Each structure stands twice: as structure tokens, then as C-alpha cells.
Amino acid sequence: MTLPTDVSAAPMLRLDQLSRRRAGRPAVQSLSLSLPRGQVLGLLGVNGAGKSTTLSMVAGALRPDSGSIRLNGADFLEQPELARQLIGWLPERAPLWPELTVSEHLDAHGHLRGLRGAALKQARTAIIERLELQPLARRLAGVLSQGQRQRLGLACALLHRPALLVLDEPANALDPVQVAALRTLIREQAAAGTAVILSTHLLAEVTAVCDRVAILHDGTLRHDGHVHSDDHAALERTFFEIAMNGQPQPARAA
Amino acid sequence: MSPFAVTRLEWRRLLVRPLAWVLAALTLAWLAWNFTLMLGSFLSSQIQRAAQPDGPGFIDLVGVPLLGQLAQLAFLVVPLITMSVIAGERRNGTLPLLFAAGVPASRIVLGKYLAVLGWLLLWLALTLAMPLALMHTTHFDWGKLAAATLGLALMLATLGAIGVACSAFASHPAIAASAALVIALALWSVNLGAQMAGMNGGAINWLAMSSHLQPLLRGLVSTTDIVWFALLIVLALALATRRLAADKERN
């Protein structure tokens, strides 16, 4: 895919001093981080840490009060239309139009993302097959179970092959088999060069699929580091230290 | 993005909602029944009217009154059709999806408005089909019918824009419908007091929708009336756009 702004050296996503107030209090404060192509970043934090607000701003659904978001080197706040091609977003509870079928949802998202005709048909068929939505294709979204809704939301986010995938609690309501399939899917996307940012409450989710983890607390970034699948205990300790004390404790001497 | 992606989405949602079909079926059945009664009355008085060559014809006695009834029904139907267009999206949580697809607030509002307008014009066309079905059997005053149709189209377009604006401001579709109904009725009757006091001119009469629709129903097309409707449509859609843009800011 040709990206709208071809600054190949630029990270896919760069947040710089991003801040946003919600309900009269700072939800995200001076958040800076970057995400290269092909990397999966896990966003961890307790409820109210600012994860969903951050992802809403990255997805283009919410404007930050201050700071900048650069997508593939371009100023996203100046060019919000970049979201159309570059970003696929699955919000926390996949929002759907209850009166439309699964297939109609994919068509609507395709049209909104600029897909038409044969390209839309091809993309729809591929994503329906990949997420095994064939039996649900003609079913109304209003009668889907929570897990099925989540899968449809994921299909809508992936339909146009975004360069940046933003997933907010994607494993919500999925059964263990579907969670495993989701992990495989996320790794596939990363292997294909897609930058993935996902928020989750599940530490196991982070160690299973993420290359990097960022921990938010009270709207600020408290930890940003690489994840190794065998250091679940270390991640758990860091997370709880931040959740309890607001910051990771210095490493103890052996 | 196709410029009509939002229109297409909204049109699809309108077509699959039972409310739109039920409203269309009930109102068209009501209008057809009234058309039949008015036609019967027209036919039974044909002999007396034959003595007055310049007297009222089919369009005066059947066509325009039918459109007048459509105008009355529009006060109730349009708020019900428009109530969910944006308030429903807000309740479903789907509005951020449109923002996240890079669709500007103005295009969301315009797209939804065009879908509603399409439905309303189809409703008008089906109503017009009743008198038009008799075009070869009686004398038609095409000019008067065209002016009345233009008036109705402008009125429906204005009520549609008001409905979309109310839907943009309301958190619940029922509140949007109630607000649109109240605003439409207020716009229609804002000059009633002035007229009862014998004032037939002035700003208060200019504000009233009835002052601009009635000349068109009588076959008088004036630029002032058309501009009045156009201004109201633009104002309502601009307010809706402003509100949606603020929604994105506030979320």
C-alpha cells in the first residue's frame, strides 16, 4: 500500500506532549511516545488511567487540548482525513448500527474509507473469511452476541488494511479460542508492517502479543519498555507498583 | 471517500427502519382516501362549474388541497423521520466512528440531510402521483401545480433541516422529535397573534412559514419566499454542523 505521506524514516505514530481534559480533570497529560511500523504496543493502566482517551485521540475521534499527533510524518490534527486510509479503530464496545447486517456494516465502512466496486467486494470477502463471519453475514448487528459484535468491529477496523491499527480492549467478550485467534491476527498484522496499539487490562495479553508496553497512570506515561514473553512476573510487578504507588520502584539489589 | 458515503449509509438505515415504512404507508393511505373524497366532490360539482369557465379547476379543488394536507402531515412526519439521524448515532455510540473515518462534521450533516431530503421528496412524489394520474382526463393548471409543488418541496426541505438540527442538539431521539415539532409549529404560527390584531405586514409576518408557503400554494412564486426557505435551511444545517464539531471537541 502506498501511504499518503511517504516519509519512510518517520515512525507510523508519534505523540508529542499530548494532553486532554475530560469531565473537568486531566485525562491525559503531556503524553509523548512513538510507534514504528510492524510493532505492537500494549497500553496498560488501571480504569481511568487515560488509555481510552489516548486511543480516541489517536483514532481521530477526539481532539487533544494540546500537543501533536504525527501519522507517518504528517500532522494528523491538520489533516484529519489521513485517518480514512491510515487508521483502523476498534473502540472499547464496538459501536454498530443495529438495523444493518454484518455485510452492510462492512460496505458502509468500506464506503467511508474510500473503497468502492471490486476493491470493496474483494476486501469484504477477504475479511469475512479471515474472521469467519460467513454464517453471520446476513444477520442484523442488533441481534449479535457481544463476542460477535467484537469480531464485526474488528472486521470493520481491518477492512481497508490500515497502516495503524488502534484496538481498545479487543479481547472483551471473546472466548478463549477467539482470544487465541485474535492474538494470531494481531501478530499477522504486525508481520505485514502494520503498527498496532492496543489497550488492555490483561497482562497476559501484553506478554503474549506485544513488543512493547506503555503503562499509564493518572493520564501520564509511567513506564515504556520492551516486553519479553518470559518476563510476565516482571511486568506484573512493574504494573502493580505503578498502580499502587504511581511509579515503578527502583530495582532491588540482588 | 465518496461524497455520498454518509448519505448512502443514512438512506440504507432509513429504508430498513420500520418507522419510515409505517409512516409512509399510513400517510399515503390517508392522503389517498382524502384524494378520493375530494375527487368525488370535484366530479359531482362539475356541471355547476361548467357554467363558470374561469372558476376553480381540478388543481385548485383537488391538487393544491391534497398538497395542503401533506403539509399538515409533514409537521408530525418530518420530526419522526429526522429524530434518529444524529441523536440515534449518538445513542449507538457510532458518531465517533464517522469522525474517526476522517469525515468532517459538515459532510456528516449534509450527508444525513440529503438522505432525509431524498425520503421526503419521494414522499412528495408519491403524493403528487395521485393527481398526476388524471392528467389526461381533465384540464391541468401546470403552473399552479408546479408552484405548489415547489412550495411543498421547500417546506419539507426546511422542516427536514430543522429536524436534523434538533437531532444534532438532542441526546435522545424523542427529545429531538419534540423539539422539531415545537419549532416547526412556532415557525408556522408565530404571526397568528399579529394577524388576529389585524396586522398583515411587518417583521413578525415575514418570520412565519405560513406567509411564505401560502403564496406558493396559490401559484405565486416570489424570490423573497424562496430565499426565506433557503436561509432557514442554511441556518439549521450550519447550527447542526457547529454542534457536531463541538461534539468532536468535547466527546
Side-chain angles (χ1 to χ4, degrees):
Chain A
M1 183 176 69
T2 309
L3 299 177
T5 302
D6 193 18
V7 187
S8 53
M12 191 60 235
L13 172 71
R14 181 187 287 280
L15 309 181
D16 191 21
Q17 296 294 310
L18 205 62
S19 296
R20 170 76 204 200
R21 291 180 73 85
R22 279 181 114 169
R25 67 173 197 88
V28 175
Q29 299 179 73
S30 304
L31 176 63
S32 298
L33 54 82
S34 67
L35 179 62
R37 291 172 188 77
Q39 194 174 73
V40 183
L41 171 69
L43 211 53
L44 273 176
V46 295
N47 286 335
K51 305 187 298 292
S52 292
T53 303
T54 303
L55 294 192
S56 294
M57 290 190 285
V58 168
L62 181 66
R63 272 187 82 84
D65 294 331
S66 60
S68 72
I69 302 175
R70 298 194 81 80
L71 270 184
N72 200 36
D75 188 339
F76 182 39
L77 301 179
E78 291 293 316
Q79 302 171 64
E81 67 278 4
L82 286 176
R84 196 175 305 145
Q85 281 179 282
L86 290 182
I87 299 177
W89 180 41
L90 172 65
E92 193 172 349
R93 279 174 21 200
L96 304 171
W97 293 284
E99 62 274 57
L100 298 190
T101 65
V102 166
S103 192
E104 286 167 345
H105 265 89
L106 294 171
D107 284 348
H109 276 268
H111 290 136
L112 288 170
R113 302 289 182 171
L115 293 176
R116 284 191 223 175
L120 173 58
K121 196 176 170 189
Q122 195 180 3
R124 188 185 57 206
T125 307
I127 202 68
I128 283 180
E129 273 179 22
R130 180 64 189 81
L131 290 174
E132 298 173 357
L133 289 167
Q134 297 96 327
L136 307 175
R138 291 183 162 200
R139 203 172 290 178
L140 290 176
V143 301
L144 296 180
S145 71
Q146 197 57 39
Q148 290 167 337
R149 290 174 63 92
Q150 200 72 357
R151 276 160 61 205
L152 173 56
L154 193 59
C156 293
L158 288 168
L159 181 73
H160 57 295
R161 295 182 185 170
L164 171 64
L165 190 56
V166 181
L167 306 173
D168 197 351
E169 311 276 358
N172 268 359
L174 297 183
D175 63 41
V177 176
Q178 290 168 339
V179 169
L182 172 71
R183 289 174 181 173
T184 308
L185 181 72
I186 291 172
R187 287 313 318 174
E188 267 176 26
Q189 293 293 317
T194 305
V196 183
I197 177 166
L198 74 94
S199 102
T200 179
H201 284 116
L202 307 173
L203 301 180
E205 195 70 37
V206 173
T207 45
V209 294
C210 296
D211 303 304
R212 230 174 90 204
V213 61
I215 303 179
L216 294 181
H217 188 75
D218 285 342
T220 56
L221 183 65
R222 303 295 171 93
H223 173 84
D224 184 356
H226 285 275
V227 176
H228 303 286
S229 54
D230 53 355
D231 64 0
H232 181 86
L235 175 64
E236 192 174 53
R237 192 172 56 246
T238 307
F239 176 76
F240 279 105
E241 283 169 356
I242 290 172
M244 301 296 178
N245 309 316
Q247 56 187 9
Q249 300 298 304
R252 292 185 198 99
Chain B
M1 182 184 68
S2 155
F4 299 113
V6 177
T7 307
R8 194 194 298 231
L9 170 62
E10 189 58 37
W11 182 244
R12 183 72 201 148
R13 291 181 61 215
L14 263 177
L15 289 189
V16 296
R17 252 184 257 152
L19 179 68
W21 289 101
V22 170
L23 282 174
L26 288 177
T27 53
L28 288 171
W30 170 257
L31 289 167
W33 170 247
N34 278 285
F35 173 70
T36 314
L37 292 179
M38 287 187 285
L39 185 61
S41 168
F42 171 75
L43 292 175
S44 64
S45 64
Q46 225 169 6
I47 297 167
Q48 290 109 305
R49 279 182 295 100
Q52 310 167 290
D54 294 331
F58 176 75
I59 294 299
D60 300 290
L61 296 173
V62 179
V64 172
L66 184 71
L67 291 179
Q69 292 196 353
L70 179 78
Q72 288 171 16
L73 288 172
F75 283 100
L76 195 62
V77 169
V78 179
L80 291 174
I81 288 294
T82 55
M83 65 181 180
S84 293
V85 291
I86 295 174
E89 296 268 17
R90 196 175 281 124
R91 277 178 71 78
N92 288 342
T94 41
L95 210 47
L97 283 184
L98 298 178
F99 291 137
V103 188
S106 56
R107 198 172 273 193
I108 295 175
V109 169
L110 194 63
K112 286 177 172 292
Y113 175 65
L114 288 178
V116 165
L117 192 60
W119 191 94
L120 293 174
L121 292 180
L122 191 62
W123 189 46
L124 173 61
L126 289 171
T127 307
L128 272 176
M130 297 176 209
L132 286 176
L134 301 175
M135 61 191 277
H136 295 300
T137 60
T138 183
H139 171 71
F140 256 59
D141 185 341
W142 285 106
K144 197 171 271 186
L145 183 65
T149 304
L150 174 66
L152 251 293
L154 287 169
M155 182 199 177
L156 291 176
T158 306
L159 293 183
I162 291 169
V164 169
C166 289
S167 189
F169 278 89
S171 54
H172 194 285
I175 298 171
S178 310
L181 177 65
V182 168
I183 292 171
L185 287 176
L187 264 178
W188 183 262
S189 56
V190 67
N191 63 341
L192 273 184
Q195 282 192 336
M196 284 165 75
M199 290 166 59
N200 287 319
I204 193 87
N205 278 309
W206 189 84
L207 275 178
M209 188 186 288
S210 51
S211 308
H212 301 279
L213 181 65
Q214 277 158 1
L216 286 161
L217 289 178
R218 287 200 303 271
L220 301 171
V221 179
S222 110
T223 314
T224 316
D225 295 330
I226 295 172
V227 166
W228 185 89
F229 283 110
L231 277 178
L232 221 62
I233 292 168
V234 170
L235 177 68
L237 295 183
L239 286 173
T241 302
R242 236 182 115 83
R243 172 59 207 242
L244 267 201
D247 256 13
K248 188 179 176 182
E249 295 288 329
R250 284 198 301 260
N251 196 21

